[in-house]
Amino acid sequence: MQLTQVVVVRLATGATALASESGAVERGAGIAVYNNAFLIIMVPHSIITVSLATALLPNLSRTAAAQRAEEVRAQVLSGVRTALAIIIPFAGLLLALAGPISRLLFGYGAASEDTDLVAVTLAAFLPGLVGFTSTYLLQRAFYAAEDTRTPFVVQLVVSGVQVALSLAIVPRVNPVLVSAALAAAWSVAVLIGALTALVLTRRRFGPVHAGSLALFVLLVVVAALPGSLAALWLVLRFPEIALTSAVGALLVAAVGTVVAATSYVVLAWAFRVAPVRDGLRQARALLAARLGRR
């Protein structure tokens, strides 16, 4: 899928060149802004989704080898739910703290002038993190069944939609917003890819109970929303602290994270979000066991 990357790079660098030549705007949001924002969203993906998929794949492979399609489906959907129970509140928190995080990570040297653009681009990337996570995990079921063709088809859909949307949107936006437009195109593409992967999973492994999965996602979103809004309120209430210095950005991000995480855990327990409840029970049992040894 290198063609997609070529298109993204050319459009992003072209926006910067156009801004410089025309003088209509002082700067263009080019490939550096796009890449910096993408690096941020890859942090939760790498820590949570990739780790979960790595743990899930061996058992998935054994189950697929035994031709137990229903168990494969159940295991991979359980993995999707577990990942989304963490990724969705994480995405909400990143959205609320996009400004302070961009300031904290890239507010130095030549990149310091682009932290606001990184924040906007990061916000455009975050809806796609849900689709990217779901697609990544659903594809593990096909890899476990030694089917590499289906993930390739899914990736073709994602790349095709991303390229088409990028070519359609970018020429119509201000050069300052090109990186955000490219991020939005990626988000739409991976969400469509997730729906495609879900349909193909149903065809190969049986019913995926899309209604139940959608209700689960809704519950997680509702549980994550108050904490994310509280973190956003902190940023809007104290912009002179959150957006002007690394120390201030770190302080607001830390407080916002604690508030959002606490709120989410409480509400997720109240809403009976199974992965959260199971995780808390396991943590409590582990803590009790360690205290018992002492």
Side-chain angles (χ1 to χ4, degrees):
M1 306 307 161
Q2 296 302 314
L3 176 60
T4 306
Q5 185 63 19
V6 170
V7 171
V8 169
V9 170
R10 287 182 64 86
L11 289 173
T13 54
T16 303
L18 179 62
S20 176
E21 292 171 3
S22 67
V25 293
E26 295 181 357
R27 53 182 173 160
I31 194 62
V33 171
Y34 181 92
N35 286 340
N36 286 343
F38 191 74
L39 284 174
I40 296 174
I41 69 162
M42 283 297 101
V43 172
H45 173 76
S46 300
I47 295 174
I48 300 163
T49 309
V50 174
S51 299
L52 184 59
T54 301
L56 190 63
L57 191 56
N59 198 37
L60 267 180
S61 299
R62 286 191 293 269
T63 307
Q67 302 294 316
R68 298 197 296 268
E70 291 184 3
E71 291 184 35
V72 171
R73 182 192 68 226
Q75 288 174 17
V76 77
L77 289 177
S78 176
V80 170
R81 287 170 181 259
T82 300
L84 291 182
I86 306 173
I87 286 292
I88 289 174
F90 209 127
L93 181 63
L94 285 178
L95 182 61
L97 299 177
I101 289 173
S102 299
R103 172 64 181 164
L104 182 62
L105 296 179
F106 303 110
Y108 309 94
S112 61
E113 296 182 358
D114 293 331
T115 54
D116 56 334
L117 300 179
V118 173
V120 173
T121 304
L122 175 60
F125 266 126
L126 288 171
L129 189 56
V130 174
F132 190 59
T133 294
S134 302
T135 302
Y136 187 89
L137 287 168
L138 289 170
Q139 287 177 327
R140 302 311 108 178
F142 296 99
Y143 289 132
E146 299 183 352
D147 175 4
T148 57
R149 178 180 173 182
T150 301
F152 179 73
V153 170
V154 173
Q155 191 57 48
L156 278 179
V157 171
V158 173
S159 298
V161 173
Q162 184 180 358
V163 168
L165 285 177
S166 297
L167 292 174
I169 296 173
V170 167
R172 293 172 171 79
V173 302
N174 189 303
V176 172
L177 299 176
V178 162
S179 62
L182 290 169
W186 178 85
S187 289
V188 173
V190 293
L191 286 168
I192 292 174
L195 293 175
T196 303
L198 203 61
V199 169
L200 294 175
T201 300
R202 183 184 63 186
R203 289 182 179 178
R204 176 66 182 271
F205 300 105
V208 296
H209 308 293
S212 175
L213 183 59
L215 178 60
F216 173 83
V217 170
L218 179 61
L219 284 176
V220 173
V221 169
V222 172
L225 187 59
S228 298
L229 290 176
L232 179 60
W233 179 84
L234 282 173
V235 176
L236 298 178
R237 178 66 178 82
F238 304 105
E240 67 282 358
I241 298 176
L243 303 175
T244 58
S245 71
V247 174
L250 179 60
L251 177 62
V252 171
V255 174
T257 299
V258 171
V259 170
T262 303
S263 171
Y264 172 67
V265 169
V266 170
L267 290 175
W269 180 274
F271 292 161
R272 300 182 181 276
V273 177
V276 175
R277 284 198 159 204
D278 292 343
L280 289 174
R281 289 192 187 103
Q282 291 173 8
R284 185 170 56 186
L286 180 61
L287 180 60
R290 289 190 174 181
L291 292 175
R293 292 195 192 103
R294 296 180 182 179

